[in-house]
Amino acid sequence: MFDPKKLVDTALDQVQKSGKSSQGSSGGEVDDILYKMSRDLEEMRMKNRELTERLNDLDMQFNHLKNLLSRSDRRY
C-alpha cells in the first residue's frame, strides 16, 4: 500500500546517510537522492489526484443516493 510518511522518512534517512558518508565528495549521491525524491513526490501528487477524483466521485454518488431517498420519503 502507498505510504507517504514511509516514503518521506526513507528519503530523509538517505539524505542524512549521504551527508555523513560523502562529506567532501562529489554531489552525485545527493543528486541521485534529489532525483528520487522528486520522482516520488510526483508519484505522490498523482496518487493524491487519483484519490481526490475517487473521493469526489463517491461524494457525488452519495449525494445522488441521498436525494433519491429524500424523494421517496416525500411520496409517503
Side-chain angles (χ1 to χ4, degrees), residues 4-55:
K5 181 174 179 353
K6 182 179 177 187
L7 189 69
V8 170
D9 289 343
T10 302
L12 289 174
D13 287 344
Q14 289 176 347
V15 169
Q16 288 173 350
K17 287 177 187 175
S18 176
K20 291 176 184 173
S21 65
S22 67
Q23 291 175 349
S25 68
S26 69
E29 281 184 62
V30 173
D31 290 341
D32 289 343
I33 292 170
L34 289 175
Y35 170 75
K36 289 176 186 175
M37 287 177 67
S38 64
R39 185 189 63 205
D40 292 343
L41 181 60
E42 185 57 33
E43 182 182 335
M44 286 175 41
R45 285 183 180 134
M46 289 184 343
K47 293 280 185 186
N48 185 33
R49 213 173 301 130
E50 291 171 8
L51 291 172
T52 300
E53 289 172 2
R54 184 154 186 224
L55 182 62

